[in-house]
Amino acid sequence: MSKMMKTIGKLKLWTLLGVVLIVAGIVIAAVFGFNADTTASDYKTLSVKLDSYETDARVERIDEICTGEIDKAGLTVLYSQKNEFSNSSCEMLYVFSEDVTTEKLDALKNAVSAVLETESEPGVLYNTFVYATAGDEVVSSVLPEGYLWRAALAAAVALVLEFVYVSVRYKLNMGVTATVSSLMAVLLTVALTALVRIPVTTSVAYAAAFAMLYSMATGLVIFSRMRSAFKSDEYKEKSAEEAIASSVPPKGILFFAAACAVALVLVGAIATAAVRWFAVTAFLGLLAATFSSLLFLPAMYLPLKKSADKKAALRARYDYKKESAKDKRRAGKGEPAAKEGAKAPETAAVADGAESDKA
């Protein structure tokens, strides 16, 4: 018995493991919250908030003003980000080193505010509400509400599209399995992030998306191999366990996971702190997606395939009994039973007439 044969029969174990981790992550996040990035707690920040309808032109103009004043002050921006909110407003956030004094930061804020006031004349920022604030705060751990809602909506749409595509292209039970497996990968990624206490930034949404896409890709590969294999005569003689185990390419999935892991390690080694935390979170997503696609997916599909095979066998038996009943009725009426390859009466008569003509 192969190792894959042993793993696909342990659906209860894999489900229990995944559910326990997800529940534990929810409890930890509810009680202690997500871990804030302590390395950013002493950073200086400049926040410029647009409390009016957000447009690309307005955002570009605000960024142009801030960048110009920052260059004049001789300060260096560690990184910047745009936070969007549910009411169509946004915030431009600029993060500086803790070495920047409060006096310099206040001077920068006043300079930016002064330039923004001159923008009251007709122009891109005309009739808008824009104000700047400065302070010491944990900025990289803040997840904007509107950003999270859009990320959740995008994930839901992607899961629905995956379900429809796999169900139409392959089978309905495959669509259900693929969708649940991808959802498991996303939830495990977020739960592991809370459990391991990785500093949370807005990049956690990208890491969860990476886990979902990885699970989707590997799931499509597995189901494509299954569809081709199940049609062959060799697989028709195998049990459901043997057929599924022979269709899952564990070496290929593990090799792909190893290649992605190496890429994430390289990115984390040469990137900035913000990108490094994304690489670490994405690495957890890679582990979650590999577990979901290599262990959970085939184990979940096994009982669904057995149920489908059982229904197909019952349907074939019913059709056989139905044909046998028809033969018995024909025998009672003195008619010959229908046999494969037998000629229909009209066809036989035409053939006999043709033979008479030839004679």
Side-chain angles (χ1 to χ4, degrees), residues 137-210:
E137 54 186 279
V138 180
V139 294
S140 60
S141 62
V142 178
L143 299 178
E145 179 183 356
Y147 181 84
L148 288 179
W149 278 113
R150 281 194 294 273
L153 179 61
V157 172
L159 291 174
V160 171
L161 292 177
E162 180 188 22
F163 170 75
V164 173
Y165 176 79
V166 177
S167 299
V168 172
R169 182 172 176 80
Y170 301 106
K171 293 182 179 180
L172 178 61
N173 53 11
M174 289 183 175
V176 174
T177 305
T179 305
V180 175
S181 176
S182 298
L183 180 60
M184 172 74 79
V186 173
L187 295 179
L188 276 177
T189 301
V190 179
L192 289 174
T193 302
L195 289 172
V196 181
R197 310 304 292 163
I198 291 178
V200 174
T201 67
T202 52
S203 62
V204 67
Y206 299 107
F210 167 75

Side-chain angles (χ1 to χ4, degrees), residues 272-347:
T272 60
V275 179
R276 187 177 301 116
W277 287 126
F278 161 74
V280 175
T281 310
F283 187 82
L284 290 181
L286 178 64
L287 296 178
T290 303
F291 163 81
S292 180
S293 58
L294 185 59
L295 300 178
F296 179 76
L297 184 146
M300 179 182 174
Y301 183 63
L302 177 60
L304 297 179
K305 176 173 172 53
K306 286 184 176 180
S307 177
D309 292 344
K310 185 177 180 181
K311 291 180 180 179
L314 292 175
R315 191 181 302 111
R317 188 181 305 173
Y318 172 77
D319 293 339
Y320 175 77
K321 290 182 179 179
K322 190 175 180 181
E323 291 297 328
S324 300
K326 288 182 180 180
D327 292 340
K328 290 181 180 179
R329 286 197 297 271
R330 290 192 184 98
K333 295 179 181 180
E335 299 176 358
K339 295 182 180 180
E340 185 178 356
K343 296 180 180 179
E346 295 181 1
T347 306

